[in-house]
Amino acid sequence: EVQLVESGGGLVQPGGSLRLSCAASGFTVSNNYMTWVRQAPGKGLEWVSIIYSGGSTYYADSVKGRFTISRDSSKNTLYLQINSLRAEDTAVYYCASINGGATVHWGQGTLVTVSS
Amino acid sequence: QPVLTQSSSASASLGSSVKLTCTLSSGHSSYIIAWHQQQPGKAPRYLMKLEDSGSYNKGSGVPDRFSGSSSGADRYLTISNLQSEDEAEYYCETWDSNTRVFGGGTKLTVL
């Protein structure tokens, strides 16, 4: 059974940093396309970043230059390093796996709150 | 890149059917989309992948009451025999040129 478990969220001051983790089981992260999607309180889903099985990475314009997606094959874990945090980055961050183009498996999410 | 447009809300009675619409922007009418359901306080759940032909592939465990269809730039999600647990936000998603896009979501109320 595919399972994705995020961690690393919390309260951080503007300008601060966090590293989100997504531990996967039931499949191999490095063999799949993986993505991060966020949802601000009361708002819709917003795509954040993707890493392809070959290692190429892409980002939404709103986070480019501040966020970095990566993975650790030995830990079968996906990461999102988020720097220079702003109030508008406050959201639940979901990791997900992609199959046949579509986002198919979702984690339960981890909440990031940016506030002084 | 494509834009997905959804109505903000819809409602239907328990046991009836409802058809939700996701419209692709001009020039993107052939794109494949995915439908996701998000019940209150929960993570999104993948429902199906839907092609421009109307062919769809559902996720594991998605009830037969959920089906998809297409017409031009419109992609539809039909839910039959509505149940109380179908009250949720429904999002469509597509992808292109290393970006992914979500529609704004439709909040479905079951009366």
Side-chain angles (χ1 to χ4, degrees):
Chain A
E1 180 194 3
V2 171
Q3 198 169 14
L4 297 164
V5 180
E6 299 96 331
S7 60
L11 175 64
V12 61
Q13 293 188 336
S17 299
L18 277 177
R19 189 177 79 157
L20 308 182
S21 300
C22 172
S25 58
F27 75 106
T28 303
V29 165
S30 60
N31 291 344
N32 286 269
Y33 297 179
M34 299 293 296
T35 189
W36 286 95
V37 176
R38 67 183 180 182
Q39 186 171 37
K43 301 297 183 182
L45 301 173
E46 179 190 15
W47 174 73
V48 172
S49 181
I50 187 170
I51 183 167
Y52 292 123
S53 52
S56 298
T57 59
Y58 297 91
Y59 302 90
D61 287 343
S62 58
V63 307
K64 204 172 293 183
R66 299 187 300 123
F67 290 17
T68 303
I69 189 172
S70 63
R71 65 193 181 200
D72 185 331
S73 300
S74 65
K75 296 182 178 178
N76 207 32
T77 297
L78 179 74
Y79 300 100
L80 186 68
Q81 177 69 40
I82 47 181
N83 299 330
S84 304
L85 278 160
R86 308 165 180 167
E88 55 265 35
D89 295 319
T90 294
V92 174
Y93 285 74
Y94 297 101
C95 74
S97 65
I98 293 167
N99 193 339
T103 303
V104 173
H105 297 288
W106 296 80
Q108 88 288 349
T110 187
L111 175 63
V112 173
T113 303
V114 184
S115 175
S116 55
Chain B
Q1 71 188 50
V3 174
L4 299 173
T5 301
Q6 298 181 253
S7 299
S8 59
S9 64
S11 62
S13 300
L14 195 67
S16 70
S17 295
V18 68
K19 191 174 187 178
L20 307 182
T21 304
C22 173
T23 301
L24 287 149
S25 53
S26 176
H28 302 95
S29 61
S30 65
Y31 278 44
I32 298 169
I33 72 151
W35 281 105
H36 304 277
Q37 176 195 60
Q38 187 176 34
Q39 293 173 324
K42 292 190 174 182
R45 173 196 183 192
Y46 167 72
L47 294 176
M48 67 180 68
K49 187 171 77 170
L50 175 60
E51 299 182 10
D52 60 339
S53 63
S55 174
Y56 61 93
N57 287 295
K58 292 196 296 187
S60 174
V62 176
D64 292 342
R65 304 184 292 104
F66 290 80
S67 62
S69 60
S70 296
S71 177
D74 292 332
R75 306 286 181 268
Y76 305 107
L77 174 69
T78 299
I79 312 171
S80 304
N81 188 21
L82 272 168
Q83 304 296 303
S84 57
E85 60 264 30
D86 298 331
E87 185 158 292
E89 194 88 24
Y90 291 84
Y91 294 93
C92 53
E93 173 201 21
T94 195
W95 47 94
D96 178 38
S97 299
N98 305 315
T99 65
R100 308 184 70 81
V101 177
F102 288 92
T106 296
K107 182 176 175 58
L108 175 62
T109 301
V110 179
L111 305 173

